[in-house]
Amino acid sequence: MSSNDSRESYLKKHVLHSAFIVAKGEVIPMDLVAIDTCTGKRLYSFLSIGWGMMADVDIESEKYRHMGNARFAVMAVIKLASMKKYRGRLSYLPCEGERCRGSSLPRYTKKEREVGDQPGVEKTPENNFACHLVSDAIGAAGDDVGVPTPLLVPLSEPVPSSWVTVEDDFIMVGAVYQSHLAKDNMMAPNATLNDGIIHLVVARGTITRMQLAHIFATLEHGFQTSDENMEIIRVQAFRLEPLTPKGLMTVDGEVVDYGPIQAQVLPSMARVITLHAADCPETTQL
């Protein structure tokens, strides 16, 4: 079979599969995450934010793209050999009890998504949470940032006193809102499409190469560890301030401006079509 025949066969199967999902699937809500970067950009993410080794492996493995998904494993081994540490300050609003189900944040309806308003929040100048001037080296904010984010304050201001702040050396910090980052990478096994939670995956600088290698090797079956040097923290919002001058940051696998960044979950902001709606709790068909 020629390469063209193979490609045509693949595309035909892909189209048929997609058509079947559209015809038989159910529409269910999915969380998005609003992100403010140090240059004032407002981004909306559906998958993840990465810093440290997580971003390094993702971006620097591009040179091995011809290897397919194996490129991530190859680059992970390379990065494990050096185990670069990143100094940073991580602040977050934990989700506890009922708040962990997103009950403290209003969920978006179809009409509210269309007009860009959040229920219970007036659209006033005070609700424009752009990334303000942090320092001469970082720069100033942009203009209107769109969807209000009541849990966030400008990046130039301290986080609220109700937040937890940790300054430490990290190997990586990842914010994940889906269970899988890839077919064989179940970074947040307890995550669902609309749980109203950001899952912070944190590897501190004290973790060993062997411990981290073991965790990476078992990600296909779900992230599980009792090691205090690596944990998953469930939050509704967070701020990450890199104190290491050079590095990479990613949003949904794409490089973004390096510097302070903050994010808040937007419960049920998006809609997706799936064949497995029964596996997603607290979902409703529109």
Side-chain angles (χ1 to χ4, degrees), residues 160-176:
S161 59
S162 57
W163 289 35
V164 177
T165 298
V166 178
E167 183 175 324
D168 204 346
D169 291 326
F170 300 96
I171 301 299
M172 60 169 262
V173 174
V176 181

Side-chain angles (χ1 to χ4, degrees), residues 137-185:
I138 293 177
D143 296 319
D144 186 12
V145 296
V147 179
T149 46
L151 298 182
L152 302 179
V153 298
L155 277 168
S156 57
E157 298 180 8
V159 297
S161 59
S162 57
W163 289 35
V164 177
T165 298
V166 178
E167 183 175 324
D168 204 346
D169 291 326
F170 300 96
I171 301 299
M172 60 169 262
V173 174
V176 181
Y177 0 112
Q178 308 297 341
S179 60
H180 290 69
L181 295 184
K183 181 179 178 181
D184 56 355
N185 186 341

Side-chain angles (χ1 to χ4, degrees), residues 92-97 99-102 196-198 234-236:
Y92 56 88
L93 177 64
C95 77
E96 301 169 345
R99 189 165 62 186
C100 252
R101 303 308 304 172
I197 300 171
I198 298 173
R234 299 191 298 175
V235 306
Q236 285 188 299

